[in-house]
Amino acid sequence: MSPQPFFQVQDLTTVFETREGLIKAVDGVSFDLAEGETLGLVGESGCGKSVTALSIMRLVPQPPGRIESGRIIFGGRDLLQLSEEEMRHLRGNDISMIFQEPMTSLNPVFTIGDQVAESFRLHQGMTKSQALKASIEMLHQVGIPSPEKRIREYPHNLSGGMRQRVMIAMALACRPQMMIADEPTTALDVTIQAQILNLMNQLKEEIKTTILLITHNLGVVAEMADKVAVMYTGRIVEYAPMEELFDHTAHPYTLGLLHSLPPAATEEMKDRLETISGIVPSLLDLPSGCKFHDRCPYAFEPCPIEEPPFYRLNNRHLVRCYKYKGFA
Amino acid sequence: MTPLLELIDLEKNFKVKASSFRRSRETLTAVNRVNLEIRSGECLGLVGESGCGKTTLARLIVRLEKPSKGRIIFDGQDLSNLNHKDEMIFRRRVQMIFQDPYSSLNPRKTVGSIIGESWRIHSLGNSGERREKVMELMEEVGLRPEFYSRYPHEFSGGQRQRVGIARALSLNPDLIVADEPVSALDVSIQAQVINLLKDLQSKFNLTYLFIAHNLSLVRHVADCIAVMYLGQLVELVPKELFGKVHHHPYTLALLASIPIAKPGAKKKAKPLLGDVPSPINPPSGCTFHPRCPEQVEVCHTIPPELREVSLNHCISCHRR
Ligand SMILES: Nc1ncnc2c1ncn2[C@@H]1O[C@H](COP(=O)(O)OP(=O)(O)OP(=O)(O)O)[C@@H](O)[C@H]1O
Ligand SMILES: [Mg+2]
């Protein structure tokens, strides 16, 4: 028997009861992470990345949302079975989350110092003055200039990049074993994004945090991730080590995404961009069979009939596409 | 050949409240002495990070803002002294496509009436003719004519952007100012809209000012690339020379910051330090100097001029 992975999501399904009907925002998602590893979860808007993260943290708004099934194994326990009390303890102590929009997760009426210090006090049992000192040190570490002055400021006085760094400082204040970062740099300019990604990479080396990194940016994935899960309409369609995913891309959707990117400014120019035809279907009105078949240039007879299972191209590369039927 | 659009020492200042505590107002220079030309049929790509003045520049050109100083010459005509008739002609010949396909369309109007609105305003054709023209345009931008009576909320982001494009095309403009036209869209849809814009450009001989923060994208669509920092142009380079010449340190920093979707493509360059400074109190000398890895003493005191360092390649930097 192989050893239990550090973190594992098994067959997670999360649904929303909307006015128009029931939608499965996350449908049978499974992945795992070894300690210190970074998994990139990529896909286009609405494919279920954030709902996956919220489900892991048990923060899905309920109603309208509900985790329908699945297991989330961490530290030998199934997080979906924990009491609300146990879950509260886990959030922040063991798993921290950085949200897509930093402003919504910082409290506007407290100073930066209060908020970072609060994390230290809650999770490491420090006194007020200890926590304040530790906060200044942490803000310095995440690259905030003159942190001893900044701690007296309020979130709205900071730029987007600064706020995101404060969020990271707060997430790290408790030395979490695991961090979930939902589009941590999407709202930022490229030069600031580069700073934050550098910082996250540095911290990864220093404190060996395991990271679930959610992004729609394949460039960010190539720079940060050890392995990648590509999502489409609530499902994972391809799952592979990062280099394998880019060098031996298997799923037609992943290929389509990669080809739609404008070539990097340092690469050979193209005359035209390749495109994926059509648009992402509504979760209320999904096509039959493979959910990508009506946009797929490779679709053939079985595709509209039944959803393909995962085929295993090798030990670590899984793909949900009938093109690979020959593989077990 | 005279350029279709020419900006001469263009400047825009805003009076802003310095802080919530002080009553006094300070001047923010959003666009600072910009000189630029776009030739007919060309696409000029303008890049820069948020707040660098790209959108203000676009709004000045389409006359949604008035310049504080300097001049805009369109097809040989100075825009500061247009009479009413010329103004109407100008408004037909220059159109804008906006960043946000969600908020730029009136939610209470059908797509057909949004696209046909300009014809109604300019009283062109009767309603039957207008309807026919709208259908033609919808086809041109890849919208099915059955969508004529639908409302914007029934469309995806990419489809709404197509509506915006059809609306901009309706009066056969010469110049289209597109401000981040695809940044709100997913990559796969982004590629569709970019291809559409390129096809339309050659079909209707359009001239574009294409504004974006994504340098790779700008290089893909533009014939000439302009880089902006804190309201000023720091580099102007034709696409053929891009990557082959000695670029401005800020352009190099932008290039090094873009994550590339290729394993191991990671560049060794260190990311820029610090944030973009406030345009209210910009740094002295070259405004980029506090973040510049190549700065020397002169950069702290003397602002560099934008000058031609080699044929068609302009840079404002003491080190180039
Ligand atoms: N509170 C909610 N109520 C109803 N539907 C919801 C709710 N939250 C999410 N959804 C739906 O779940 C689906 C997945 O959304 P999710 O936010 O996970 O997408 P995402 O992959 O994070 O997209 P983005 O890249 O835009 O952040 C979407 O169809 C969304 O509309
Ligand atoms: Mg999300």
Side-chain angles (χ1 to χ4, degrees):
Chain A
M1 219 179 79
S2 59
Q4 183 98 75
F6 178 76
F7 180 88
Q8 190 171 30
V9 171
Q10 286 178 348
D11 218 11
L12 177 71
T13 296
T14 302
V15 300
F16 288 96
E17 209 87 60
T18 69
R19 212 172 308 149
E20 292 85 21
L22 187 82
I23 59 169
K24 282 192 178 174
V26 175
D27 193 351
V29 160
S30 304
F31 56 82
D32 53 61
L33 275 152
E35 186 162 14
E37 208 172 33
T38 297
L39 171 75
L41 187 59
V42 282
E44 295 180 285
S45 191
C47 70
K49 304 180 297 290
S50 295
V51 173
T52 303
L54 293 174
S55 304
I56 294 170
M57 297 299 270
R58 297 246 316 258
L59 291 173
V60 174
Q62 186 174 358
R66 173 161 46 86
I67 298 179
E68 204 173 60
S69 63
R71 305 206 306 154
I72 294 165
I73 312 290
F74 177 66
R77 298 188 290 181
D78 180 358
L79 302 192
L80 297 184
Q81 304 303 326
L82 297 188
S83 68
E84 195 40 52
E85 185 60 39
E86 291 170 300
M87 209 48 218
R88 234 192 323 265
H89 182 81
L90 190 108
R91 279 180 219 130
N93 273 320
D94 306 304
I95 306 183
S96 325
M97 179 147 178
I98 299 175
F99 291 90
Q100 197 157 352
E101 177 30 69
M103 208 48 195
T104 54
S105 33
L106 288 173
N107 192 329
V109 302
F110 292 109
T111 64
I112 299 303
D114 285 342
Q115 297 189 54
V116 182
E118 178 76 0
S119 293
F120 277 111
R121 289 199 318 151
L122 271 180
H123 302 294
Q124 296 192 19
M126 293 186 179
T127 66
K128 214 172 166 183
S129 68
Q130 280 173 329
L132 204 63
K133 249 180 89 185
S135 307
I136 293 175
E137 177 50 31
M138 184 57 82
L139 289 171
H140 177 74
Q141 248 191 57
V142 298
I144 296 207
S146 31
E148 61 290 342
K149 283 193 204 120
R150 289 291 180 178
I151 52 168
R152 273 177 253 132
E153 294 192 34
Y154 291 86
H156 68 265
N157 294 121
L158 303 186
S159 67
M162 290 283 183
R163 272 183 225 140
Q164 200 55 289
R165 274 177 272 197
V166 170
M167 283 297 303
I168 293 180
M170 279 169 65
L172 293 170
C174 31
R175 306 223 138 213
Q177 300 178 48
M178 168 131 185
M179 189 151 95
I180 300 180
D182 188 0
E183 308 265 10
T185 58
T186 303
L188 307 176
D189 276 322
V190 281
T191 59
I192 309 300
Q193 163 166 284
Q195 291 171 11
I196 301 278
L197 295 182
N198 244 31
L199 174 70
M200 286 178 62
N201 261 331
Q202 220 176 312
L203 295 167
K204 211 176 106 177
E205 308 228 312
E206 280 166 25
I207 61 176
K208 305 261 177 301
T209 302
T210 306
I211 303 176
L212 173 61
L213 175 67
I214 296 176
T215 175
H216 67 276
N217 187 327
L218 287 157
V220 170
V221 168
E223 259 181 39
M224 303 288 294
D226 301 305
K227 59 183 181 189
V228 189
V230 181
M231 270 185 103
Y232 188 73
T233 60
R235 296 146 172 82
I236 289 178
V237 296
E238 184 162 8
Y239 184 51
M242 186 273 285
E243 303 201 344
E244 169 98 8
L245 185 102
F246 285 96
D247 295 342
H248 304 283
T249 313
H251 200 284
Y253 176 62
T254 317
L255 267 177
L257 282 184
L258 281 170
H259 289 164
S260 330
L261 293 174
T266 46
E267 287 176 340
E268 196 68 22
M269 255 176 304
K270 280 188 201 169
D271 223 27
R272 270 181 92 70
L273 299 177
E274 287 167 56
T275 59
I276 303 178
S277 67
I279 59 171
V280 177
S282 150
L283 292 178
L284 282 162
D285 189 19
L286 285 176
S288 60
C290 169
K291 304 306 164 228
F292 188 60
H293 85 261
D294 53 348
R295 306 177 70 192
C296 181
Y298 305 99
F300 62 118
E301 301 84 51
C303 305
I305 297 167
E306 200 177 336
E307 187 146 16
F310 273 112
Y311 295 106
R312 194 175 279 277
L313 302 186
N314 63 43
N315 217 359
R316 303 186 59 198
H317 192 166
L318 299 176
V319 59
R320 235 176 164 172
C321 171
Y322 284 121
K323 256 174 82 185
Y324 305 92
K325 219 169 169 177
F327 295 85
Chain B
M1 197 174 75
T2 58
L4 180 66
L5 181 77
E6 197 176 354
L7 311 182
I8 301 168
D9 281 330
L10 194 63
E11 193 166 314
K12 178 67 189 179
N13 301 310
F14 292 105
K15 289 265 181 266
V16 291
K17 242 168 77 183
S19 79
S20 29
F21 305 113
R22 262 177 287 161
R23 189 99 36 96
S24 67
R25 293 184 158 247
E26 297 191 57
T27 306
L28 181 157
T29 305
V31 169
N32 194 353
R33 293 204 301 135
V34 165
N35 288 285
L36 200 61
E37 288 180 8
I38 312 181
R39 275 177 300 216
S40 177
E42 258 190 7
C43 174
L44 181 93
L46 181 64
V47 268
E49 297 180 278
S50 57
C52 75
K54 305 183 298 280
T55 296
T56 308
L57 191 67
R59 292 172 59 86
L60 286 169
I61 293 169
V62 299
R63 292 168 69 77
L64 287 171
E65 298 283 355
K66 263 194 144 124
S68 309
K69 279 185 204 145
R71 293 188 299 154
I72 303 174
I73 315 281
F74 179 76
D75 203 7
Q77 205 170 21
D78 190 331
L79 295 191
S80 54
N81 42 32
L82 289 184
N83 59 34
H84 179 73
K85 183 170 144 266
D86 291 336
E87 174 90 34
M88 290 309 277
I89 293 172
F90 173 82
R91 289 198 181 272
R92 185 182 68 64
R93 294 183 65 190
V94 179
Q95 295 291 322
M96 184 150 174
I97 300 172
F98 296 89
Q99 170 166 8
D100 184 356
Y102 299 90
S103 61
S104 61
L105 303 176
N106 184 339
R108 279 179 294 275
K109 290 205 162 140
T110 64
V111 158
S113 68
I114 289 172
I115 298 172
E117 184 159 32
S118 310
W119 289 316
R120 216 167 30 252
I121 292 172
H122 291 255
S123 338
L124 302 170
N126 62 39
S127 71
E129 286 163 349
R130 289 203 290 261
R131 191 183 171 93
E132 202 164 301
K133 291 273 282 177
V134 170
M135 300 270 197
E136 265 172 43
L137 265 178
M138 288 179 69
E139 188 131 14
E140 203 71 70
V141 300
L143 289 169
R144 289 214 291 276
E146 311 85 277
F147 294 163
Y148 186 92
S149 316
R150 296 212 189 154
Y151 291 88
H153 74 263
E154 298 173 72
F155 291 95
S156 68
Q159 287 174 322
R160 284 183 237 209
Q161 202 53 294
R162 285 170 200 268
V163 175
I165 294 170
R167 175 178 59 183
L169 286 176
S170 62
L171 293 173
N172 291 324
D174 297 301
L175 174 68
I176 290 194
V177 177
D179 187 9
E180 302 267 12
V182 297
S183 28
L185 307 176
D186 275 321
V187 266
S188 71
I189 309 303
Q190 212 172 68
Q192 294 173 0
V193 174
I194 289 295
N195 284 348
L196 171 67
L197 286 172
K198 279 196 132 185
D199 293 344
L200 295 170
Q201 182 183 19
S202 52
K203 184 158 181 188
F204 298 109
N205 188 34
L206 298 169
T207 305
Y208 284 142
L209 173 61
F210 184 94
I211 299 176
H213 63 275
N214 180 339
L215 190 50
S216 310
L217 188 65
V218 165
R219 189 196 60 151
H220 176 77
V221 296
D223 300 300
C224 184
I225 299 153
V227 183
M228 201 167 179
Y229 188 77
L230 274 182
Q232 288 174 312
L233 290 188
V234 297
E235 182 162 2
L236 210 50
V237 57
K239 171 191 196 136
E240 321 79 75
L241 293 182
F242 195 84
K244 300 190 177 88
V245 288
H246 205 24
H247 288 292
H248 190 284
Y250 178 61
T251 311
L252 291 175
L254 280 181
L255 266 172
S257 303
I258 302 173
I260 297 177
K262 237 185 211 128
K266 199 165 182 153
K267 335 93 226 159
K268 272 155 232 83
K270 278 220 186 108
L272 278 187
L273 298 177
D275 282 325
V276 179
S278 151
I280 296 178
N281 266 314
S284 61
C286 169
T287 56
F288 184 57
H289 88 259
R291 305 176 78 196
C292 182
E294 299 182 46
Q295 46 131 333
V296 290
E297 201 142 337
V298 57
C299 312
H300 297 223
T301 48
I302 301 175
E305 292 286 327
L306 189 72
R307 65 202 160 80
E308 198 164 13
V309 288
S310 60
L311 189 65
N312 295 328
H313 179 208
C314 301
I315 281 194
S316 77
C317 175
H318 294 303
R319 304 295 309 275
R320 297 287 184 272

